[in-house]
Amino acid sequence: MTELESILERVRACRVCAESLPLGPRPILQLSRTATILIASQAPGSKAHASGIPFSDPSGDRLRQWMNISGEEFCDPGRIAILPIALCYPGRANAGGDAPPRPECAPLWREQLLEQLPGLRLTLLVGTYAQRHVLGEGAMTDRVYNFRSYLPDFFPLPHPSWRSRHWADRNPWFEADVLPALRAAIRGALGLR
Ligand code: SF4
């Protein structure tokens, strides 16, 4: 068994915050040592929890459209790793939407899993929680607007939930300036230019 297989086996058996997860533990991630792009997201949604496949929902459709890649490319762990800040679906928040990622998860698993990604060229920081975890406190919109200051290692993005449609309407520079640069960065990190 490789080190990565051993870590994944332990991750899949994890029940550390089981009592706080309304649907129980089901870590959802995609990882291979040859991946060059990491999608650092916040936590799986209920549809991904049901299917066991990361971003198998309308948010995933929107993210793939932003990245301009096919479903097949997106699901290829040899090229794209998907590692949320917390690995299991956290349930719904009282105010609507999903609850925040469980805080127990990243300190337990994140560094071990990142060590299994030696060839990373680009990390997409998808949503406020992922950006806060990696970059510290800051405003998501400002970070996305100033995406060039985080390259070549990081590319901050909004979370691609249905709310991002309204956010994109209010911030037309996202489609005009950010998405073309994102697509170029993706192609570069995949070795396609
Ligand atoms: S969210 Fe993370 S810490 Fe909690 S049960 Fe799932 S894998 Fe374990």
Side-chain angles (χ1 to χ4, degrees):
M1 184 182 285
T2 65
E3 189 179 358
L4 175 56
E5 288 167 343
S6 166
I7 295 170
L8 290 176
E9 189 172 274
R10 286 185 285 123
V11 165
R12 291 190 178 112
C14 179
R15 301 191 56 79
V16 163
C17 62
E19 290 184 2
S20 304
L21 301 173
L23 301 186
R26 188 176 193 190
I28 311 286
L29 66 163
Q30 170 176 307
L31 214 66
S32 157
R33 287 185 64 84
T34 59
T36 56
I37 292 176
L38 170 63
I39 297 174
S41 46
Q42 59 180 45
S46 58
K47 290 197 166 111
H49 175 91
S51 69
I53 300 169
F55 282 105
S56 53
D57 54 20
S59 292
D61 294 339
R62 192 167 292 112
L63 182 57
R64 287 182 280 276
Q65 189 253 326
W66 289 351
M67 296 169 71
N68 195 30
I69 62 171
S70 68
E72 187 182 348
E73 289 168 312
F74 188 86
C75 294
D76 179 357
R79 290 187 277 187
I80 295 180
I82 302 175
L83 186 56
I85 297 302
L87 301 171
C88 298
Y89 171 59
R92 302 284 289 172
N94 290 336
D98 286 352
R102 289 303 311 171
E104 300 89 338
C105 197
L108 270 175
W109 298 117
R110 192 159 183 81
E111 282 309 312
Q112 293 184 65
L113 290 164
L114 288 176
E115 283 171 10
Q116 299 300 314
L117 294 169
L120 275 191
R121 295 179 188 160
L122 178 66
T123 297
L124 309 187
L125 299 174
V126 178
T128 303
Y129 289 109
Q131 290 169 24
R132 194 179 294 153
H133 184 84
V134 175
L135 304 173
E137 292 296 330
M140 183 276 289
T141 298
D142 291 346
R143 282 181 165 147
V144 177
Y145 185 80
N146 293 311
F147 69 91
R148 286 187 180 85
S149 62
Y150 301 100
L151 290 172
D153 296 328
F154 300 109
F155 204 120
L157 291 169
H159 190 278
S161 71
W162 61 271
R163 290 188 185 87
S164 65
R165 280 182 302 167
H166 306 300
W167 178 90
D169 288 344
R170 291 194 305 276
N171 298 286
W173 44 265
F174 180 65
E175 288 209 9
D177 299 330
V178 179
L179 290 188
L182 172 66
R183 291 164 183 165
I186 299 278
R187 288 182 64 78
L190 290 175
L192 297 176
R193 70 179 175 207

